[in-house]
Amino acid sequence: MLWPVETRSVSPVFVGRSDELGTLTEALARAEAAEPQALLLGGEAGVGKTRLVEEFAAAACRRGAVVALGGCVEIGADGLPFAPFSTALRALRAALPDELAAAAAGQEDELARLLPEFGEASAGRHDEQGMARLFELTARLLERVAAERTVVVALEDLHWADASTRHLLSYLLRTLRTGRLVVLATYRSDDIHRRHPMRPLLAELDRLRTVRRIELARFNREEVGRQMAGILATEPDPAQVDEIFERSDGNAFFVEELAVAWAEGCCTGLTDSLRDLLLVRVEALSESAQRVARIVAEGGSTVEYRLLDAVAQLAEDDLIEALRAAVGANILTATPGGDGYRFRHSLVREAVADDLLPGERSRINRRYAEALESDPGLVPAEARVTRLASYWYQAHDPAKALPAVLHASVVARRRHAYSEQLRLLERAMELWDPAPEEIRAALRPVDYTDVYPPCGCDPATTPLRYLDLMAEAAVAGRFCGERERALKITKRALRMVEDEGDPLRAAWFWVQRSRLVQDLARGDGWQELGTAQDLVRGLPPSEVHADVLANVANWSMLHEPGPEAFAAAERAVEYARMVGAREIELNARITLGCLMVDAGDLENGMAELRQVKETALREGAANVAGRAYVNLPSELDSVGRSGEAVPILREGLVFARRYGLLDSEVWIWGNLSDSLYALGQWDEAAEAAAGALGSAASAKPRGAGALRLAKIALARGDAAEAARQLAVAHEHYGTHDPMPQALLPVARIAVGVAAEEGRLLDARAELDRALDRGFPPGTQRYGWPLLLAAAAAEADARALPAVADGRAEFLDRLTEAVRKLTTGAPLWLAYERWTRAELHRARGTDTAALWSDVVTDFERLDRPYDLARVRRRLAQVLLEEASGDDGRDRATELLRLAGAVAGHLGARPLAEAVALLAQRARLSLTSGTPRRALDPAESLGLTNRERDVLRLVSAGRTNRQIAEELFISPKTASVHVSNILGKLGVSGRGEAAAVAHRLELFPPERADRTGHTDRTATAGQRT
């Protein structure tokens, strides 16, 4: 078996393998029920089989099982006979000496063939049945040992197993019938070639229904990153994770070796131990085969036969013979198409390449480049430019490499391969100084740099300058999400351009820096934009000037919306049109359209956004279209037109994926979650919210995704999960870039979580902070749900004496905020009436007429959950006002509709509130004869005396005061309080009071108040 060369390279964190570990744990549970289990665990060398077995063994031990490990030992071509079984039995003897001795009683002389510690093996009979007898005795021995105690027998490295071991294992797995036994065997799948003796055994065991086979796959990139973090005891650099993931192909053992090599400063090579391990079979080849292997190692992951023939410069028969030897030794393998060759594992290729002498490597790469230049048809056209650039770069010829790398970067950008483009541009920066001056003077002109003004008089003909190259790299880094790398390049460029006194180019780089620090949640970006504004002030109109204005307008929309933001957007559109900067104009028009909607000019604003989206698609402005796919549906959802938003969002997802717009995709996922939530499609909304936590390179979209999950969890009654997701959102949003579209939804969820947990004072404090910051114009989409949540929390807590202090003042401040907030759309008007109704409820002055208007408002909107909530409130007031049979009939129908929606959505708090109200009013929400409803206290199992005690606890009485009022002793009161806490499942008197209030066991003033209010709503977000 391949043990890690240095144990310190093993990650202390067990990574991934949850499905496989779950399968093993499930097998253990079945074994504990006396159903013996057999499992085969396969995987390539180093993929993590031993680590998985160790984790499973530790878990089994924690559950009281005895684990016996045994491994096959290789000696030459064969394994040591019965080695794994002997080792396992020895472990069992050490752990269960008495049980093993009792199980072996009378058969020690036969079993001594496996375990000499049993005594002297008898001479016995050596015939066809001798081995079968031993096998039968071994199987029954294990069954007896596992009769009363769960036993796990783990046999490792079966690929080295001798024939006897394989036969015994086959017998054991076919004949196990009873016992609390798990037999787990591992093997190295990449060693099981066509003629390996394990192949027939695996085929045989596959036919047994009692044997489960698990194939352990390599790690994905995320798992490699987590493994590296465990090994290095720090979060690794994403670029390093990418590199090690690519080099290791996800093989856990190789990841360990590479991570340690990198930590020790050997990031460009392999450790000697790993290199020696990988080169053993290569060095056994003939010299010509080794030579071919070395050439293939430098050619790339796959080398076409014709290209290999041109580079190897061998006679064709000699080349084919060398290839046959390398393929036969499992070093090389033919490509699926049959037109080339590749190494069986990429690290074997790397080990061979690392073994090359420096001059030898350069010479091979030069031959590849020269062959490809001479005959470009040797490789597929789509790979030609990139491979030529790579060969010249590896040949260490800057004069040839720099133009080739720059050409390849253009090809990469045209394919939207921005990560590859950035890598190539960084290589170009590395090659710049070593390249001869005459080569630099003949380079291609500037490629795409957004609106950056290239150096020179004629950008179409002027050769690329180094500052231009940095601008290309900064844009590529931003596009591919490598913002850290882009920020470093931008900072270097600013140092250069400041020395040259070039305000226009400096302003452009300051805008890039503003975007990057915002995306990385390291600042709000305003200082950088302010510097850019100062630099362009007084200069003639230009694309850079228009871009600065457009960014200022967008920043203002997100941070300080209002008339000034509107004016900035109009100026940006004007400047962009003056200089013919089409994309800047379209972006500024998106900002302008959003501000128009927020100002109440709904139809014109929507029309502007739709027109920009169609124009951007028609003109191929992918980034503008991506932003339109985020903002147009967001505005539609914000005014209650979620049904129109969903198809646009789904179309946007396809578009964002096609063009690799990671941040746009995640913003779209988040907004889709909001729209689906509003439309009552919560399961799909949760899936979309999970998508919003996916692959975004920026922190803010991930924070928005977590906030959506918190909203759904809160509406479904899982306050703990809502609090957890709220913390995740806080982490992603950071504290350096406060925006209303983040701060207000965060405050809304925080109010809901605090109210749900009975922390009303915390909920008030959260709202106070939001009111202190104020609601800038255009933030009503986020403000109304927050005010509603706070008003509902106050109404729910009306009867709690503990929060009476300051209540009147808080309600007055909340009422004033409601009075000031905009109601320019039907949805916002509905929210205003709902919030005012909740404020009346908080003061005990709400009426059926008031709630009827709210219900009417929401019946016009396609928001089933909100409608269900206000219907429940109307039903409650109708029943309280004792409005006769008509009122009861209407209340019954309202509750039936609300309950149906709550049940469909899984909105547990609303469903419970509906059921409780119907129960207290003795209403049947289904057909049939009404039955007597249980009192809520009775349903909790409270006695009459306990109910009296709970009433006084809810009023804030101490045990002594309770005793005096009920004429019992303080000790008896204490016992009653303890019983009540147990029956309610709470830990303190405050929580007990909150439960009593939520169930309205002791309603204030007006009878039969019920009361759990969901404190969530929805609001899309913009970019």
Side-chain angles (χ1 to χ4, degrees):
M1 130 178 63
L2 284 179
W3 295 97
V5 177
E6 300 178 45
T7 55
R8 63 187 171 80
S9 69
V10 177
S11 170
V13 179
F14 181 60
V15 176
R17 312 307 190 203
S18 56
D19 291 342
E20 295 84 354
L21 189 58
T23 299
L24 295 175
T25 304
E26 178 189 352
L28 181 65
R30 291 185 177 182
E32 289 170 345
E35 182 182 348
Q37 300 292 299
L39 303 103
L40 295 174
L41 177 62
E44 69 176 8
V47 79
K49 300 182 297 296
T50 298
R51 183 64 183 273
L52 176 60
V53 171
E54 290 171 352
E55 293 293 329
F56 170 62
C61 289
R62 289 194 295 269
R63 294 175 63 151
V66 174
V67 179
L69 296 173
C72 300
V73 180
E74 184 183 30
I75 301 178
D78 298 316
L80 191 65
F82 295 128
F85 284 101
S86 298
T87 306
L89 289 175
R90 192 168 287 114
L92 279 178
R93 188 170 184 268
L96 304 171
D98 296 336
E99 291 87 341
L100 189 67
Q107 305 295 336
E108 291 90 343
D109 55 346
E110 284 288 335
L111 291 169
R113 303 180 191 279
L114 292 180
L115 188 62
E117 287 86 339
F118 277 136
E120 195 70 25
S122 64
R125 294 174 56 187
H126 294 279
D127 55 17
E128 295 90 343
Q129 303 304 316
M131 184 173 284
R133 268 196 310 274
L134 177 61
F135 291 176
E136 176 65 17
L137 288 174
T138 305
R140 302 295 80 80
L141 173 73
L142 292 173
E143 284 183 349
R144 293 189 192 106
V145 172
E148 302 295 332
R149 184 82 174 266
T150 303
V151 173
V152 176
V153 176
L155 311 172
E156 292 198 88
D157 298 320
L158 284 182
H159 49 279
W160 285 335
D162 61 291
S164 298
T165 297
R166 295 195 298 270
H167 295 157
L168 175 53
L169 178 65
S170 174
Y171 185 93
L172 183 63
L173 299 187
R174 285 188 286 109
T175 61
L176 281 177
R177 295 183 292 271
T178 63
R180 302 170 63 179
L181 180 67
V182 176
V183 178
L184 171 63
T186 74
Y187 63 94
R188 191 187 294 172
S189 56
D190 53 332
D191 271 12
I192 310 301
H193 52 75
R194 184 176 302 173
R195 297 181 181 178
H196 196 287
M198 270 291 292
R199 285 181 70 93
L201 174 62
L202 293 174
E204 175 190 347
L205 297 178
D206 277 345
R207 291 192 291 268
L208 298 178
R209 294 182 179 179
T210 55
V211 178
R212 278 186 283 179
R213 189 167 169 181
I214 303 171
E215 285 294 329
L216 208 57
R218 298 173 180 176
F219 283 155
N220 58 34
R221 184 198 176 281
E222 178 189 359
E223 292 165 336
V224 167
R226 289 164 54 197
Q227 184 187 9
M228 290 176 62
I231 294 170
L232 303 174
T234 186
E235 196 66 26
D237 178 63
Q240 190 63 37
V241 175
D242 289 339
E243 180 182 350
I244 289 184
F245 174 62
E246 180 180 355
R247 295 171 68 192
S248 68
D249 278 356
N251 183 288
F253 174 60
F254 295 154
V255 171
E256 291 171 1
E257 289 292 332
L258 290 167
V260 170
W262 176 68
E264 294 177 347
C266 304
C267 56
T268 59
L270 301 170
T271 59
D272 289 340
S273 56
L274 180 54
R275 185 183 300 109
D276 292 344
L277 175 72
L278 296 174
L279 288 176
V280 169
R281 281 188 286 181
V282 178
E283 292 173 347
L285 296 174
S286 67
E287 181 55 40
S288 61
Q290 289 188 52
R291 179 185 174 191
V292 169
R294 289 192 290 270
I295 293 172
V296 175
E298 281 300 301
S301 59
T302 298
V303 178
E304 295 75 6
Y305 174 76
R306 290 180 59 221
L307 179 60
L308 180 59
D309 185 26
V311 175
Q313 298 178 356
L314 292 173
E316 188 170 12
D317 288 346
D318 292 341
L319 176 59
I320 291 176
E321 192 61 35
L323 286 169
R324 186 180 299 280
V327 170
N330 262 342
I331 303 300
L332 298 180
T333 183
T335 58
D339 59 347
Y341 294 89
R342 60 183 291 272
F343 276 81
R344 185 182 61 83
H345 196 288
S346 62
L347 271 186
V348 179
R349 176 172 67 86
E350 187 173 347
V352 173
D354 276 358
D355 204 41
L356 294 171
L357 298 174
E360 185 181 16
R361 174 178 293 107
S362 299
R363 180 168 53 85
I364 292 174
N365 277 281
R366 178 174 291 277
R367 284 185 179 175
Y368 270 117
E370 290 172 345
L372 196 51
E373 279 191 342
S374 177
D375 184 0
L378 293 174
V379 301
E382 66 272 11
R384 191 176 301 144
V385 172
T386 302
R387 286 176 66 173
L388 184 61
S390 176
Y391 293 146
W392 279 126
Y393 177 78
Q394 297 297 338
H396 302 294
D397 187 338
K400 287 281 193 178
L402 180 58
V405 164
L406 288 172
H407 186 194
S409 74
V410 175
V411 172
R413 183 193 62 78
R414 288 173 180 168
R415 299 175 63 186
H416 302 291
Y418 300 120
S419 295
E420 180 66 11
Q421 180 197 8
L422 176 60
R423 184 181 66 82
L424 290 164
L425 292 172
E426 287 174 331
R427 281 190 173 180
M429 286 188 260
E430 173 192 337
L431 294 165
W432 190 270
D433 288 336
E437 176 61 34
E438 61 270 20
I439 295 297
R440 296 202 300 265
L443 292 174
R444 65 159 173 82
V446 172
D447 189 36
Y448 182 77
T449 53
D450 201 2
V451 298
Y452 166 85
C455 302
C457 299
D458 185 1
T461 60
T462 302
L464 187 75
R465 307 290 176 85
Y466 191 76
L467 193 63
D468 304 335
L469 175 59
M470 298 180 82
E472 287 187 15
V475 173
R478 182 161 55 84
F479 282 3
C480 72
E482 291 289 349
R483 289 172 172 80
E484 288 286 1
R485 290 156 69 185
L487 185 58
K488 289 179 182 178
I489 293 168
T490 300
K491 289 179 178 179
R492 285 173 51 205
L494 282 170
R495 287 193 292 270
M496 286 183 58
V497 78
E498 285 170 1
D499 294 338
E500 297 177 5
D502 189 340
L504 210 57
R505 293 182 183 85
W508 184 87
F509 277 109
W510 277 113
V511 170
Q512 305 312 302
R513 184 165 175 171
S514 172
R515 290 175 176 175
L516 293 167
V517 297
Q518 289 181 76
D519 289 341
L520 291 167
R522 298 202 184 142
D524 64 6
W526 179 247
Q527 181 178 350
E528 291 81 0
L529 282 179
T531 303
Q533 275 189 299
D534 292 340
L535 286 167
V536 299
R537 188 172 287 118
L539 295 179
S542 66
E543 286 188 286
V544 172
H545 201 157
D547 189 47
V548 170
L549 290 175
N551 278 277
V552 168
N554 187 53
W555 188 96
S556 300
M557 178 188 74
L558 296 175
H559 294 81
E560 298 176 1
E564 292 185 5
F566 196 92
E570 287 185 318
R571 285 199 307 273
V573 172
E574 178 186 358
Y575 267 69
R577 285 175 175 165
M578 287 171 59
V579 298
R582 186 62 166 161
E583 286 200 13
I584 296 175
E585 176 197 337
L586 293 175
N587 261 316
R589 286 173 59 190
I590 289 177
T591 302
L592 191 60
C594 293
L595 291 169
M596 291 167 69
V597 173
D598 292 344
D601 190 2
L602 305 185
E603 294 309 318
N604 287 331
M606 296 296 182
E608 180 75 353
L609 290 170
R610 290 182 189 276
Q611 186 178 9
V612 171
K613 178 176 76 73
E614 296 306 318
T615 302
L617 291 174
R618 186 171 60 253
E619 297 180 2
N623 284 284
V624 177
R627 186 169 172 238
Y629 275 121
V630 173
N631 289 354
L632 170 58
S634 172
E635 297 300 329
L636 287 168
D637 186 75
S638 76
V639 297
R641 292 158 64 175
S642 304
E644 293 179 52
V646 168
I648 299 173
L649 288 163
R650 295 198 186 280
E651 179 185 313
L653 283 174
V654 175
F655 181 86
R657 288 171 185 159
R658 182 188 307 146
Y659 289 96
L661 305 174
L662 297 182
D663 279 356
S664 291
E665 179 183 346
V666 177
W667 284 120
I668 292 169
W669 274 121
N671 288 345
L672 179 61
S673 177
D674 281 338
S675 294
L676 292 171
Y677 178 94
L679 293 171
Q681 301 173 39
W682 283 10
D683 290 340
E684 295 88 343
E687 292 175 5
L693 284 171
S695 57
S698 300
K700 291 188 183 72
R702 295 197 296 272
L707 206 58
R708 267 79 174 204
L709 290 174
K711 174 178 65 180
I712 295 169
L714 191 60
R716 284 180 161 168
D718 191 347
E721 174 64 11
R724 188 182 74 81
Q725 294 292 352
L726 180 62
V728 173
H730 272 298
E731 178 183 350
H732 286 310
Y733 279 134
T735 59
H736 301 291
D737 187 13
M739 292 189 296
Q741 72 170 15
L743 292 176
L744 295 177
V746 164
R748 179 194 68 205
I749 299 300
V751 166
V753 170
E756 184 68 23
E757 295 175 348
R759 299 182 287 106
L760 190 65
L761 295 181
D762 290 342
R764 287 179 183 172
E766 190 71 47
L767 183 69
D768 279 334
R769 285 191 289 272
L771 294 179
D772 289 342
R773 289 189 296 264
F775 296 153
T779 59
Q780 53 273 9
R781 60 162 69 185
Y782 312 114
W784 281 120
L786 172 59
L787 296 180
L788 173 64
E794 288 296 325
D796 285 348
R798 186 164 65 92
L800 292 179
V803 295
D805 290 345
R807 176 182 176 80
E809 294 82 357
F810 182 79
L811 289 177
D812 287 344
R813 189 179 191 197
L814 187 52
T815 302
E816 180 64 14
V818 169
R819 186 184 67 80
K820 292 180 178 179
L821 200 57
T822 302
T823 58
L827 177 62
W828 305 336
L829 179 62
Y831 267 121
E832 184 213 17
R833 287 179 175 167
W834 187 0
T835 307
R836 289 186 182 279
E838 291 290 0
L839 287 170
H840 278 287
R841 186 167 71 91
R843 296 186 172 100
T845 59
D846 55 327
T847 64
L850 193 65
W851 282 108
S852 184
D853 288 342
V854 179
V855 169
T856 300
D857 285 340
F858 278 96
E859 284 176 339
R860 299 190 184 105
L861 301 168
D862 192 6
R863 304 175 93 81
Y865 180 55
D866 290 344
L867 178 58
R869 292 167 61 192
V870 297
R871 278 173 168 167
R872 195 260 298 189
R873 287 294 177 211
L874 175 57
Q876 178 179 332
V877 178
L878 287 171
L879 293 170
E880 290 168 351
E881 291 181 349
S883 50
D885 290 342
D886 289 344
R888 286 179 62 83
D889 290 344
R890 187 183 179 196
T892 301
E893 180 61 14
L894 289 167
L895 290 176
R896 185 186 66 76
L897 293 172
V901 170
H904 172 72
L905 297 179
R908 181 175 56 80
L910 177 60
E912 290 176 350
V914 168
L916 181 60
L917 180 58
Q919 190 179 66
R920 292 171 66 89
R922 293 178 170 80
L923 299 177
S924 174
L925 303 184
T926 59
S927 58
T929 304
R931 56 183 177 83
R932 173 186 170 272
L934 289 176
D935 183 276
E938 184 180 344
S939 67
L940 292 170
L942 297 178
T943 64
N944 290 335
R945 175 60 79 189
E946 287 169 348
R947 177 179 177 133
D948 293 337
V949 172
L950 179 56
R951 175 177 56 80
L952 295 173
V953 167
S954 300
R957 303 288 198 277
T958 65
N959 285 349
R960 182 170 297 280
Q961 292 169 328
I962 293 171
E964 291 173 354
E965 186 160 339
L966 298 181
F967 302 101
I968 58 178
S969 70
K971 184 175 181 180
T972 301
S974 176
V975 171
H976 282 312
V977 170
S978 297
N979 290 340
I980 290 168
L981 297 183
K983 290 180 179 180
L984 297 184
V986 298
S987 58
R989 301 165 77 97
E991 289 184 64
V995 170
H997 166 71
R998 187 163 64 246
L999 297 178
E1000 298 206 351
L1001 299 177
F1002 318 109
E1005 299 176 13
R1006 284 166 27 184
D1008 292 327
R1009 283 288 209 172
T1010 63
H1012 181 76
T1013 294
D1014 176 80
R1015 300 169 180 89
T1016 66
T1018 181
Q1021 292 188 313
R1022 305 178 292 196
T1023 61

